[in-house]
Amino acid sequence: KHGISKKNYQQEVQKIWDCGYYPVWVDAYDVKGKTYFNVVFRPQRAGMQVEVRHGMSTKQLEDEYKKLVDNHNYRLLQLESYNDEGNLRFAAIFIKRDGTPGPQPAYLAQTAGKHQELFDKYTDMGYVPVNVSVASVKGKKYYSAFYEKRDVGNCKLRSTLTQQEYQQQFEEMRDKNWEQVYINAYRHNGKTYFSVIWYQNAGIGKYAAVRKTSSSGYQENYNTYAGNGYRTRCVTGYEESKKHYFAAMWTKD
């Protein structure tokens, strides 16, 4: 589901949950000052435990993280930061893991400089970024991310790509057979930027992506790829010329 208004978001998630699906991806963006959500769902499995939150302040998310991750063996599945009517807010998906999950370093609302410092620290320790969400609120950028140890070879993160830079980087990485695994769009000082992660060997098989498509165009791409056995992995929305635009990727295992 894409372009869900904030007032309908909880109702939509609950409705689809009741039909036997759970969210694996959540993205938030604003158009003309109003907040919207994009969500990807998968079929529920017997006994699974998932917690979904949105509209959280930094403190509220820290409290939820401590309660669920530190105390009850949940893991972050998705983390999203966004500008909600001039306030920094977070949406997150937590999933319960059996046994004792490995470390999953995470941080919230950091400056670009601190984010780079932590990125260097964790990648030097053998972690790779899973999710690097950037939000711009009142002209200031905030970086939030989490990391895991995954056998994917090298990784590459670019979090300040313009539309054209993203297209050029996408083509370059595709030619090298690196796999895009994450994309997040945000608006900063009136311009669109992308935060994107590539892995050298993610094992995701074939993938396809779009970077600037209207709501109807996104739906057409979704119908085409889903009809050919692809699954939606990421979808991110953003505003340009007071209209909704989307970037997304699909993979075929």
Side-chain angles (χ1 to χ4, degrees), residues 180-241:
Q180 180 179 307
V181 294
Y182 173 87
I183 185 168
N184 172 242
Y186 62 97
R187 296 281 290 177
H188 180 63
N189 292 337
K191 294 183 179 180
T192 300
Y193 295 92
F194 296 98
S195 176
V196 191
I197 300 170
W198 287 268
Y199 292 160
Q200 188 177 24
N201 183 23
I204 62 175
K206 296 180 180 179
Y207 72 97
V210 294
R211 66 172 172 85
K212 187 176 182 181
T213 183
S214 65
S215 179
S216 60
Y218 167 74
Q219 188 65 51
E220 289 173 5
N221 277 284
Y222 170 84
N223 294 342
T224 297
Y225 289 119
N228 283 283
Y230 286 76
R231 299 208 296 178
T232 310
R233 294 290 182 178
C234 309
V235 53
T236 184
Y238 56 95
E239 176 187 13
E240 284 197 2
S241 302

Side-chain angles (χ1 to χ4, degrees), residues 28-71:
Y29 67 103
D30 62 287
V31 175
K32 293 190 284 189
K34 295 184 178 180
T35 301
Y36 299 85
F37 291 88
N38 305 308
V39 195
V40 178
F41 298 86
R42 299 276 185 264
Q44 294 176 24
R45 301 184 301 275
M48 70 184 311
Q49 298 180 62
V50 178
E51 297 289 339
V52 184
R53 303 284 189 273
H54 74 285
M56 295 179 290
S57 66
T58 305
K59 177 64 165 58
Q60 287 171 326
L61 179 51
E62 287 172 345
D63 290 344
E64 287 296 303
Y65 187 93
K66 183 176 182 179
K67 178 176 72 176
L68 294 169
V69 177
D70 293 347
N71 297 334

Side-chain angles (χ1 to χ4, degrees), residues 2-17:
H2 69 283
I4 307 169
S5 66
K6 182 173 70 171
K7 68 178 182 179
N8 294 329
Y9 172 70
Q10 186 62 47
Q11 179 182 347
E12 285 293 312
V13 170
Q14 187 63 53
K15 181 175 70 174
I16 297 174
W17 177 274

